[in-house]
Amino acid sequence: MKVLMFGWEFPPHISGGLGTASYGLTKGLAHYDDVNVLFVVPKAYGDEDRSAVDGIIGAGDVPITRKQVSFEDLQKKVEYFEVDSSLIPYVGEEEFYRLTQQKVNSRSRFIQTDSQGRLPFTGKYGSDLLQEIARYAVVADVIAQENEFDLIHAHDWLAYPAGIAAKKASGKPLVIHVHATDFDRSGGSVNPNVYAIEREGMEVADKVITVSNLTRNIVIEKYGIDPAKVVTVYNAVEPVERTPRLGVNKGVDEKIVTFLGRITMQKGPEYFIEAAHQVLRRMDNVRFVMAGSGDMMNKMVKRAAQLGITDRFHFTGFLKGDDVFDMFRLSDVYVMPSVSEPFGISPLEAMMSDVPVIISKQSGVAEILTHAIKVDFWDINAMADAIYSILQYPALPKMFKKHGRIEVDHLQWRHSAAHVRQVYLSALGQSNNNSNA
């Protein structure tokens, strides 16, 4: 089956978990001979990794003037998107911090093509985001007319309008992939424009994939979507070699406990600091590290100072690439105290690095991990006790390292892709009992 897949970014040009998950899924689907993916992004750079896809299409490279486009419907959508809004999408720590520092004063603009009939795209998450989403939908209509495919797959709310436009132009089934909802990103104070986009995508889709049952329940309860068409497919990780990097040295003869992620309300950094304070009252041969950046950074620095733990608490700033795994290799415990986490890939990466993990019960990844300590994000006493126990009793981290590595080794993208493939077949009204892997 040929899949027309709409995303927002593709390696090596990614800034957050959405691009990582989209890429991992395409690599997983490449294991199946009967699935071929044509991946569309707003802006293609030419150096994308095409090993797992049939091709990459940049919406900015597609002329629209020589095709019949349903502007009656799309013009309404364009007008709808033309609002002044400071939106924070599904991005990484560095991009999130940059966006939250922006002060935007934008005015609505009409869609205008260049001399070759192409629309402009940055492929970024700037002040023009909603306008780019609208342009993406216009071009998706043309792409759907020009290509042969059996099914459409749209990743997250940024690509839902494009998926809808492609479905209207082709009549082919639409599968949308909910990596997060605005309830997760905003802490419940949803942006009504984003909510409307998300809900329309869910209602128009033939199948809705969610990354956890936590997210599935939100889709059903908060968006009123029929449970029969909502399917959970968990995220995964790519296996890595178990070889330590040379030159990674703690520099101190102390234990290290790490928080790694956006320093924002959604990730629960304040609970990590309060738990650290409790642990430091019971033992002194430990240091705490908050790796990342975000809009709560200054508040967290001030809170650490108020508690008098700055000599044992370190802020590294944003980490990426090999620096992330170097941080894991230095760590004795990894803590993810997220208030609302649709899934959460970082605990899996920590476990691949042989680091025991403590995760909040309010995370999607808690649904599938057995060899991890799970606490409520707000229960700083339980969090502190868990950290203290792992640091003080050697048998505990030894057990978590041994069994955690075995567990995470089975959570690979090819297995998640098998479930997605079944969703495709269901959307197409087919059934299949045999795998072509």
Side-chain angles (χ1 to χ4, degrees):
M1 75 192 89
K2 295 182 179 179
V3 180
L4 181 62
M5 189 174 289
F6 290 94
W8 199 259
E9 52 186 44
F10 203 80
H13 306 280
I14 61 174
S15 61
L18 177 59
T20 301
S22 300
Y23 178 57
L25 178 59
T26 60
K27 292 186 72 174
L29 289 170
H31 288 281
Y32 297 89
D33 297 335
D34 62 346
V35 180
N36 298 286
V37 175
L38 181 61
F39 203 98
V40 186
V41 288
K43 182 179 177 65
Y45 295 85
D47 60 346
E48 288 82 5
D49 182 355
R50 298 167 185 255
S51 60
V53 296
D54 275 8
I56 300 284
I57 296 177
D61 299 324
V62 179
I64 68 169
T65 53
R66 293 191 298 275
K67 284 290 180 181
Q68 196 72 19
V69 181
S70 178
F71 276 104
E72 183 177 349
D73 289 338
L74 291 174
Q75 185 60 38
K76 294 177 183 178
K77 195 173 292 298
V78 170
E79 291 172 357
Y80 176 78
F81 281 125
E82 288 181 1
V83 297
D84 181 7
S85 179
S86 180
L87 297 170
I88 304 302
Y90 197 75
V91 298
E93 293 81 10
E94 185 175 47
E95 188 76 357
F96 182 94
Y97 185 69
R98 182 184 69 78
L99 289 172
T100 52
Q101 301 308 303
Q102 287 182 339
K103 291 188 181 298
V104 178
N105 183 20
S106 61
R107 297 177 65 87
S108 296
R109 295 185 295 277
F110 292 105
I111 284 186
Q112 183 175 355
T113 64
D114 64 12
S115 60
Q116 294 179 298
R118 299 175 304 193
L119 296 174
F121 289 93
T122 65
K124 303 296 183 183
Y125 301 99
S127 60
D128 200 32
L129 180 61
L130 288 178
Q131 187 73 14
E132 290 214 358
I133 292 172
R135 292 196 289 265
Y136 199 22
V138 172
V139 180
D141 183 293
V142 176
I143 292 172
Q145 295 180 52
E146 292 184 338
N147 291 274
E148 294 284 338
F149 57 92
D150 302 300
L151 178 136
I152 305 153
H153 188 155
H155 288 280
D156 228 48
W157 71 278
L158 302 162
Y160 293 169
I164 293 170
K167 177 176 179 176
K168 288 181 177 179
S170 67
K172 299 298 175 62
L174 170 64
V175 174
I176 68 162
H177 208 133
V178 184
H179 295 267
T181 70
D182 208 44
F183 286 91
D184 302 298
R185 293 183 293 264
S186 67
S189 302
V190 298
N191 182 306
N193 297 299
V194 176
Y195 176 85
I197 295 168
E198 291 178 327
R199 183 170 183 176
E200 183 182 14
M202 296 171 190
E203 289 176 341
V204 173
D206 297 274
K207 289 289 182 179
V208 177
I209 296 175
T210 58
V211 295
S212 64
N213 287 327
L214 178 71
T215 303
R216 182 177 186 270
N217 291 337
I218 292 174
V219 166
I220 293 168
E221 296 171 8
K222 302 292 187 182
Y223 295 83
I225 305 304
D226 180 2
K229 74 173 186 179
V230 187
V231 181
T232 294
V233 178
Y234 293 108
N235 282 339
V237 288
E238 284 295 302
V240 297
E241 292 296 325
R242 202 174 182 177
T243 54
R245 283 173 56 84
L246 298 176
V248 179
N249 190 355
K250 272 189 185 182
V252 293
D253 187 22
E254 295 167 315
K255 302 292 186 179
I256 293 180
V257 182
T258 300
F259 167 107
L260 192 150
R262 295 197 309 271
I263 305 179
T264 65
M265 176 279 300
Q266 180 190 351
K267 302 297 182 177
E270 65 268 43
Y271 302 103
F272 180 71
I273 288 182
E274 299 300 329
H277 180 230
Q278 287 202 16
V279 173
L280 287 168
R281 292 168 64 181
R282 300 164 68 179
M283 59 187 296
D284 58 6
N285 63 328
V286 57
R287 293 177 183 267
F288 289 82
V289 175
M290 184 165 284
S293 59
D295 59 327
M296 290 181 66
M297 167 75 89
N298 291 338
K299 182 179 179 181
M300 295 301 97
V301 172
K302 291 179 181 177
R303 182 54 180 160
Q306 289 173 348
L307 293 172
I309 60 174
T310 51
D311 61 328
R312 294 283 169 178
F313 207 104
H314 307 272
F315 295 86
T316 69
F318 175 70
L319 299 180
K320 62 181 179 179
D322 288 339
D323 290 340
V324 171
F325 283 95
D326 285 347
M327 188 68 248
F328 283 139
R329 292 181 182 98
L330 292 172
S331 303
D332 296 282
V333 184
Y334 172 69
V335 183
M336 189 185 76
S338 296
V339 174
S340 179
E341 188 74 48
F343 186 75
I345 290 178
S346 58
L348 304 185
E349 295 173 333
M351 292 167 71
M352 283 196 302
S353 302
D354 294 328
V355 181
V357 300
I358 300 168
I359 57 179
S360 74
K361 294 178 180 178
Q362 291 72 29
S363 62
V365 73
E367 298 172 14
I368 61 171
L369 286 182
T370 301
H371 295 94
I373 296 179
K374 305 168 190 177
V375 299
D376 289 305
F377 71 86
W378 45 262
D379 195 343
I380 57 174
N381 293 321
M383 197 180 303
D385 285 343
I387 294 170
Y388 180 82
S389 297
I390 291 175
L391 296 180
Q392 286 291 94
Y393 305 108
L396 202 55
K398 183 178 180 180
M399 181 272 292
F400 278 121
K401 289 179 183 179
K402 176 183 177 181
H403 295 286
R405 179 67 191 215
I406 295 172
E407 183 174 22
V408 79
D409 280 346
H410 288 88
L411 300 174
Q412 297 183 20
W413 276 112
R414 64 177 299 172
H415 303 313
S416 297
H419 296 159
V420 170
R421 177 176 169 276
Q422 290 300 322
V423 174
Y424 289 167
L425 293 171
S426 177
L428 289 166
Q430 301 178 15
S431 62
N432 183 65
N433 296 319
N434 300 314
S435 171
N436 291 318

